[in-house]
Amino acid sequence: MNKANQAPFFKGSFVNPSGETSMDNSRKIIHIDMDAFYASIEQRDNPRLKGKPVVVGGDPCSRGVVCTCSYEARKFGVHSAMASSKAKKLCPQAIFLQPRMEHYQQQSMQIREIFMEYTDMIEPLSLDEAYLDVTVNKKGMPSATLIARDILYQIKLRTGLTASAGVSFNKFLAKVASDVNKPYGMKVVPPWEASAFIDTLPIGKFHGVGKVTAHKLKNLGINTGADLKKMTIHELIRHFGKNGSYYYEIAHALDNRPVDPSRIRKSVGRETTLAEDVNDRTLMLQILAELAEEVEETLLRIQEQGRTIVLKIKYDDFQSVTRSRTLLHDTHSAKEMMHHAETLLEKTEAGQRNVRLLGISVTNFPNKESGAIQLEFDF
Ligand code: TTP
Ligand code: MG
């Protein structure tokens, strides 16, 4: 079909509450996501692990969880965030490895250097995924599809790792598309195919629609993108509040969020899965104090401080909650973290319910352009 003769996708079909129509399908956005990232690095570094079920995460004899696993292990039903002990039951022959975060961080930087040969418009989402806006790019290449193919090839050539890519005109579609042909695959969603692509998407695949919302949508008889499109913006707002308009927009391929290279999300945190469930708050605070000391050490080492303190708790039924407090000043102090951790802990059901994991982190760092690196929770 001739693209030039096509009416711009959805133009005029959407009137947002302020009354203006908005649809920008002139951008070229790529979302890249590494395949089984930590596990692939381990398999590359140790050829004896190739073709085997590899699980990176906590020891199966402890109460740790799976960070990720190789595709060979996924065939047995193993997946991220599952208890390692369960993974072992599902796949007794799996090889369990402790994560090597610093090593993964180095790999992530190497991959980012490849991206930078094409554009500086890079927004990393985590160690293994990023959005790239290649509308204008350093190579002067007009085809985003060819750029994505080139990037996947260069990553494979230089690191021995594989990635998958989604190519489209906005972030939402690029992100969803990168998952379609995993591993080592790509999916292009041009404007004139976006509507049909969304129609067939199961609700669970909509990025930004959480499990609870997906469940609620299913109860309303909404199982696919096509079903979601039938809902009016008012109906969605009635059911889902502010998020309703977001669901409406993504169902109609409307997502004007820019790729934002300055949005470097940084946090320094420590979390630990406890050897046994705990319901004693004093003990929880002692454990958190030790974690906070480690966080302080890291912050001092990298000369950072942040404004928001985040407490993370996982109850014994695996439900996770976070509680945060934003201060009026930046801090790196463990003492200050603990001062707030106590209040934050009171805002949870810790104590009434057993707790299996505790974590504390500091986020919301001042926006320094130079030398910024992304830091993740150490396992
Ligand atoms: P993902 O991209 O979600 O997973 P993946 O790269 O291992 O596999 P794929 O993309 O092919 O489906 O996450 C990237 C890395 O982040 C992953 O290798 C390990 C880490 N991670 C965790 O530590 N815990 C988690 O719960 C998840 C989802 C990921
Ligand atoms: Mg990945």
Side-chain angles (χ1 to χ4, degrees):
M1 206 182 295
N2 184 352
K3 187 179 158 193
N5 293 335
Q6 284 283 299
F9 178 70
F10 279 125
K11 195 143 200 176
S13 66
F14 173 70
V15 181
N16 72 23
S18 64
E20 64 195 41
T21 57
S22 59
M23 174 76 211
D24 175 9
N25 59 23
S26 61
R27 292 184 300 158
K28 294 172 185 171
I29 312 287
I30 302 175
H31 178 258
I32 306 262
D33 188 302
M34 301 300 295
D35 302 323
F37 190 46
Y38 300 177
S40 303
I41 293 173
E42 298 299 344
Q43 286 182 318
R44 179 202 60 187
D45 293 353
N46 181 353
R48 278 182 305 173
L49 300 176
K50 287 221 168 84
K52 303 231 170 91
V54 172
V55 177
V56 180
D59 189 314
C61 301
S62 74
R63 289 153 45 88
V65 292
V66 173
C67 288
T68 192
C69 61
S70 66
Y71 279 75
E72 292 84 358
R74 290 182 198 197
K75 288 188 201 137
F76 294 83
V78 180
H79 60 75
S80 296
M82 168 185 277
S84 298
S85 54
K86 184 168 179 196
K88 177 89 181 164
K89 273 194 200 117
L90 289 172
C91 183
Q93 67 274 45
I95 299 154
F96 283 80
L97 301 169
Q98 291 288 322
R100 296 185 293 155
M101 291 311 297
E102 269 177 32
H103 187 47
Y104 308 148
Q105 254 153 18
Q106 279 166 10
Q107 299 303 307
S108 180
M109 293 312 275
Q110 199 187 340
I111 292 154
R112 206 157 303 162
E113 277 164 21
I114 298 176
F115 298 159
M116 282 162 74
E117 292 173 15
Y118 297 83
T119 179
D120 291 331
M121 293 285 280
I122 302 164
E123 182 181 329
L125 295 177
S126 68
L127 286 186
D128 97 319
E129 58 176 315
Y131 290 114
L132 279 66
D133 185 331
V134 297
T135 316
V136 178
N137 60 79
K138 294 181 185 174
K139 307 247 179 192
M141 289 167 74
S143 163
T145 307
L146 290 184
I147 293 178
R149 195 167 290 165
D150 216 24
I151 290 176
L152 297 192
Y153 176 70
Q154 291 301 327
I155 293 176
K156 178 94 170 74
L157 189 72
R158 297 192 223 170
T159 69
L161 301 169
T162 64
S164 298
V167 183
S168 196
F169 55 92
N170 68 37
K171 283 168 137 183
F172 168 72
L173 287 168
K175 166 115 183 158
V176 176
S178 70
D179 211 33
V180 172
N181 289 320
K182 249 182 185 298
Y184 203 31
M186 58 185 270
K187 168 82 185 160
V188 182
V189 184
W192 56 96
E193 281 174 15
S195 182
F197 176 73
I198 290 170
D199 280 351
T200 57
L201 272 186
I203 279 302
K205 292 268 176 191
F206 275 74
H207 178 67
V209 174
K211 269 193 198 147
V212 176
T213 306
H215 190 70
K216 223 169 146 186
L217 284 167
K218 280 182 188 160
N219 283 343
L220 292 168
I222 299 168
N223 295 300
T224 63
D227 299 335
L228 188 58
K229 268 194 213 161
K230 287 184 200 135
M231 302 284 281
T232 65
I233 190 165
H234 301 293
E235 282 171 319
L236 286 168
I237 289 174
R238 198 173 67 236
H239 287 290
F240 301 102
K242 257 196 296 186
N243 289 340
S245 52
Y246 171 73
Y247 303 146
Y248 181 86
E249 289 181 13
I250 55 176
H252 293 82
L254 290 160
D255 175 9
N256 289 337
R257 288 172 302 160
V259 171
D260 183 355
S262 68
R263 198 160 149 235
I264 296 158
R265 268 163 294 187
K266 291 192 298 179
S267 72
V268 171
R270 291 287 180 279
E271 61 180 51
T272 184
T273 299
L274 308 164
E276 277 173 28
D277 292 340
V278 170
N279 63 10
D280 175 359
R281 282 201 185 189
T282 315
L283 181 55
M284 289 180 211
L285 287 171
Q286 277 170 14
I287 296 163
L288 283 168
E290 282 171 29
L291 297 173
E293 288 293 336
E294 289 179 35
V295 174
E296 178 181 305
E297 266 173 37
T298 306
L299 286 168
L300 286 171
R301 180 162 51 81
I302 64 168
Q303 296 179 9
E304 277 288 8
Q305 31 187 12
R307 197 161 279 210
T308 304
I309 293 163
V310 185
L311 169 77
K312 178 176 170 186
I313 284 197
K314 199 184 269 180
Y315 298 115
D316 58 355
D317 62 357
F318 280 78
Q319 187 200 357
S320 280
V321 292
T322 56
R323 296 286 180 268
S324 63
R325 179 83 197 263
T326 298
L327 315 177
L328 293 171
H329 58 273
D330 297 326
T331 186
H332 61 248
S333 150
K335 211 167 154 196
E336 189 152 14
M337 282 176 234
M338 285 316 294
H339 174 73
H340 297 288
E342 198 164 348
T343 324
L344 294 173
L345 195 64
E346 276 163 22
K347 293 186 184 164
T348 72
E349 294 170 73
Q352 292 117 357
R353 290 169 71 181
N354 285 335
V355 167
R356 60 171 278 127
L357 174 145
L358 286 165
I360 190 155
S361 59
V362 174
T363 68
N364 197 1
F365 295 158
N367 214 352
K368 281 191 249 164
E369 287 287 69
S370 62
I373 50 164
Q374 174 149 355
L375 295 153
E376 300 271 296
F377 272 121
D378 277 0
F379 188 73

